[in-house]
Amino acid sequence: MDCIFCQIVAGKVPSEILYQDEEVIAFRDINPQAPTHLIIIPKRHIPSFAHLSEAESPLIGHMVNIANQLAKGEGISGSGYRLAMNCGEEGGQLVPHLHLHLLGGRRLSDKLG
Ligand code: 5GP
Ligand code: ZN
């Protein structure tokens, strides 16, 4: 098991976990790009959202819902935030375990790429 996020799920790599349930876990990014930078992942190893079957797509809705709740907890619900999912090399995905970034707490760049 050489996936860093699977190791976080297994508790083998420490992280600041803010939420977990049977399906997903959320923790603070180790190298934050904004005052709030959280990572929400499925506990099960899925390499990227390009690998999601249609039957699994409700998982993304669940992750977005958790992200919205966490944004409230971080006090950035009113000021605004960004949810981002990188997919594959040119999409900027470095960790090959599907994840949702929650970024906020400052005005984010208007550039998408
Ligand atoms: P990606 O570029 O794959 O979309 O984003 C991966 C994110 O995971 C990066 O923002 C990076 O800082 C974060 N990350 C990588 N390794 C670790 C780790 O061991 N712990 C935590 N908390 N975050 C990590
Ligand atoms: Zn994994």
Side-chain angles (χ1 to χ4, degrees), residues 20-70:
Q20 63 176 317
D21 62 27
E22 276 183 11
E23 275 191 302
V24 309
I25 186 166
F27 51 89
R28 245 177 244 290
D29 196 291
I30 204 169
N31 181 24
Q33 305 299 307
T36 289
H37 188 172
L38 310 184
I39 300 284
I40 299 109
I41 66 170
K43 285 187 167 172
R44 193 161 71 77
H45 183 87
I46 301 170
S48 80
F49 66 83
H51 296 78
L52 266 189
S53 68
E54 190 168 355
E56 292 171 312
S57 58
L59 171 68
I60 302 298
H62 182 51
M63 289 166 65
V64 168
N65 195 260
I66 300 307
N68 286 337
Q69 287 179 37
L70 289 166

Side-chain angles (χ1 to χ4, degrees), residues 3 5-6 45 97:
C3 170
F5 285 177
C6 281
H45 183 87
H97 181 133

Side-chain angles (χ1 to χ4, degrees), residues 33-35 81-82 84 103-113:
Q33 305 299 307
Y81 49 99
R82 181 171 296 164
L103 294 146
R106 68 167 169 84
R107 180 168 295 276
L108 298 165
S109 158
D110 57 4
K111 295 198 182 85
L112 278 179

Side-chain angles (χ1 to χ4, degrees), residues 4-5 8 13-16 27-33 37 39 84-87 91-97 99 101:
I4 187 77
F5 285 177
I8 286 175
V13 167
S15 67
E16 189 187 339
F27 51 89
R28 245 177 244 290
D29 196 291
I30 204 169
N31 181 24
Q33 305 299 307
H37 188 172
I39 300 284
M85 270 183 140
N86 300 327
C87 180
Q93 183 182 8
L94 294 175
V95 176
H97 181 133
H99 53 280
H101 294 260

